[in-house]
Amino acid sequence: MDASHVAVDDITRNGAPLHVRSIRPDDKARLAAFHQRLSAESVYFRFFEFKGELSPSDLRYLTELDFEKRVALVATLDAQPDAPIVGVARFDILPDRAGAPRRAELGIVVEDAHQGRGIGTILLKYLLAIAHDKGVAEVTAEVLPQNTKMLELVARSGVPVERSLEEGVIRLQL
């Protein structure tokens, strides 16, 4: 799967259509609007801090990717190019450690109004397929213990997962 040109249609848990595609540099305004629609809790769970808005530097970092070491997918409710973003999933491949398997760090956030519909699960499915194609053997995610939705999403994914607690943060290894 070519990470920079993903464009697939899927179906959410409630039967609604979902379009998943690679993030693009022209998504900056859509991503900023998506971020504004997130609750303070969702922002905190994703970034471990409150970010009222994404700076121009943040938006460049989040939308201008090489799709080799940094990959991101967005979910929209239809395939129109200007459709609002309702979910984002990304991974960054971590620096190689001698003799260790290739690893990546995962992040997922779904707009509050659309949580619980399986959008995060769908994004995770495609993101893990891309990671596998890139030779990533282990995907990690750092999750606050209060973020039960993310913990449940990973638990339901069907992917073997190991959990550990480090300095008040749950580290998931998929």
Side-chain angles (χ1 to χ4, degrees):
M1 181 180 301
D2 177 2
S4 65
H5 292 93
V6 172
V8 294
D9 293 314
D10 214 312
I11 304 291
T12 64
R13 252 188 232 126
N14 63 351
L18 188 73
H19 185 69
V20 176
R21 64 170 174 78
S22 305
I23 203 163
R24 304 181 306 244
D26 72 349
D27 280 325
K28 287 177 183 66
R30 283 179 290 282
L31 188 62
F34 165 75
H35 184 83
Q36 290 295 310
R37 292 190 306 272
L38 294 175
S39 68
E41 180 180 68
S42 289
V43 171
Y44 187 76
F45 284 166
R46 172 61 186 95
F47 295 104
F48 289 24
E49 66 179 340
F50 181 72
K51 287 178 166 277
E53 61 183 46
L54 297 173
S55 70
S57 175
D58 291 334
L59 291 167
R60 273 190 306 280
Y61 178 80
L62 295 170
T63 61
E64 296 177 15
L65 309 180
D66 63 8
F67 288 97
E68 288 302 318
K69 293 189 177 188
R70 296 178 49 236
V71 173
L73 302 175
V74 297
T76 60
L77 299 180
D78 64 54
Q80 296 300 315
D82 60 346
I85 294 170
V86 298
V88 180
R90 63 185 317 107
F91 70 75
D92 290 8
I93 294 180
L94 299 169
D96 290 335
R97 296 181 307 182
R102 194 164 201 210
R103 301 173 312 129
E105 187 169 18
L106 166 75
I108 298 175
V109 64
V110 174
E111 185 177 332
D112 296 70
H114 298 283
Q115 290 178 5
R117 298 179 181 176
I119 293 170
T121 302
I122 291 167
L123 285 166
L124 179 63
K125 172 180 71 172
Y126 291 110
L127 202 62
L128 290 177
I130 292 167
H132 180 267
D133 288 351
K134 294 196 172 297
V136 173
E138 180 181 285
V139 175
T140 64
E142 293 185 350
V143 180
L144 293 170
Q146 306 91 321
N147 191 349
T148 56
K149 290 179 182 176
M150 180 64 171
L151 295 171
E152 290 169 4
L153 181 153
V154 172
R156 284 193 314 262
S157 71
V159 177
V161 62
E162 292 180 27
R163 292 178 175 213
S164 61
L165 183 62
E166 299 173 16
E167 299 178 13
V169 175
I170 298 173
R171 176 179 282 278
L172 304 174
Q173 294 177 278
L174 290 80

